[in-house]
Amino acid sequence: QSVLTQPPSASGAPGQRVTISCSGSSSNIGSNYVYWYQQLPGTAPKLLIYRNNQRPSGVPDRFSGSKSGTSASLAISGLRSEDEADYYCAAWDDRLSGPNAVFGGGTKLTVL
Amino acid sequence: QVQLQESGPGLVKPSETLSLTCTVSGGSISTYYWSWIRQPPGKGLEWIGYIYYSGSTNYNPSLKSRVTISVGPSKNQFSLKLSSVTAADTAVYYCARGELLGYFDYWGQGTLVTASS
């Protein structure tokens, strides 16, 4: 059971816009930045969004992130076949002997 | 360009200790926080813990009693030991560079460790 909650799957046709949600609590998303990682099949995760809505160099502006309260979302516009991957949200959690990094369970994006 | 590479046995017997090393090239392990993250087959990511180059550590509470992360054995390496492994510890193990309360920007390619007799 992951600390952050994501839908297990999402899908969209090429060119469409899709959003992936990530729900947490006051000890993680509510008080810390949210990060998004993209994992292509058979590869290591790659940083996609940092500090809620910032894109690393090289990440297309089709990818955007947002955060409100204890939830966050990743939006992908102009969907392309190469976007088919698993997407994970992450945050730091201040509970217990933290900070501890926590991840969502991942969302498998299918491009129809 | 910073690169990370995991190394270690791909098969560990139940009840024994899993040992992995991450070698960092293209940069120094001085500064930054160095983490281990694992992913069971077909499942999501789980952070195991981090070490700062000075030696300070922090571990996932669910694994804390069995985990040790240390710097070395050589310069620009850090290691993971996970004791008393069971089948549930079978996973791809990644090492990654990060900042405290920040993102993981460089990852190793991952190494599959299977806990089986």
Side-chain angles (χ1 to χ4, degrees):
Chain A
Q1 194 80 349
S2 301
V3 175
L4 306 180
T5 301
Q6 296 180 237
S9 64
S11 63
Q16 284 188 334
R17 183 176 187 271
V18 66
T19 61
I20 298 171
S21 62
C22 176
S23 177
S25 67
S26 58
S27 63
N28 42 66
I29 293 179
S31 53
N32 291 296
Y33 290 121
V34 177
Y35 305 91
W36 290 91
Y37 297 88
Q38 177 193 58
Q39 187 176 33
L40 298 170
T43 68
K46 167 193 164 186
L47 180 66
L48 197 63
I49 297 288
Y50 67 98
R51 294 182 189 171
N52 302 335
N53 55 19
Q54 302 299 301
R55 281 177 287 104
S57 174
V59 173
D61 59 7
R62 301 185 296 105
F63 295 90
S64 62
S66 64
K67 170 186 150 178
S68 178
T70 59
S71 295
S73 63
L74 173 71
I76 309 172
S77 60
L79 208 55
R80 304 177 67 161
S81 58
E82 57 259 40
D83 299 333
E84 192 159 285
D86 293 325
Y87 292 84
Y88 293 90
C89 60
W92 289 87
D93 194 296
D94 297 328
R95 288 176 299 176
L96 302 176
S97 58
N100 304 299
V102 292
F103 289 92
T107 298
K108 184 176 186 60
L109 174 64
T110 300
V111 180
L112 302 171
Chain B
Q1 177 78 344
V2 174
Q3 292 184 314
L4 289 77
Q5 178 68 57
E6 305 88 353
S7 59
L11 181 65
V12 181
K13 288 183 169 55
S15 80
E16 295 190 345
T17 297
L18 177 160
S19 295
L20 294 175
T21 296
C22 182
T23 301
V24 180
S25 59
S28 171
I29 67 168
S30 299
T31 66
Y32 294 106
Y33 288 75
W34 302 91
S35 283
W36 287 96
I37 296 163
R38 70 180 183 178
Q39 184 172 35
K43 296 187 178 181
L45 301 167
E46 180 180 36
W47 175 76
I48 298 170
Y50 68 62
I51 187 166
Y52 190 51
Y53 79 100
S54 63
S56 64
T57 56
N58 193 31
Y59 303 133
N60 186 322
S62 68
L63 299 169
K64 188 173 184 176
S65 63
R66 299 193 292 130
V67 173
T68 302
I69 298 176
S70 58
V71 173
S74 299
K75 181 182 176 182
N76 278 13
Q77 289 183 322
F78 63 104
S79 301
L80 168 70
K81 290 190 185 299
L82 180 66
S83 64
S84 306
V85 301
T86 69
D89 295 311
T90 294
V92 174
Y93 285 76
Y94 295 100
C95 56
R97 189 185 86 166
E99 299 178 340
L100 185 62
L101 302 182
Y103 48 78
F104 303 109
D105 57 356
Y106 290 98
W107 297 63
Q109 65 184 27
T111 186
L112 174 64
V113 179
T114 302
S116 174
S117 55

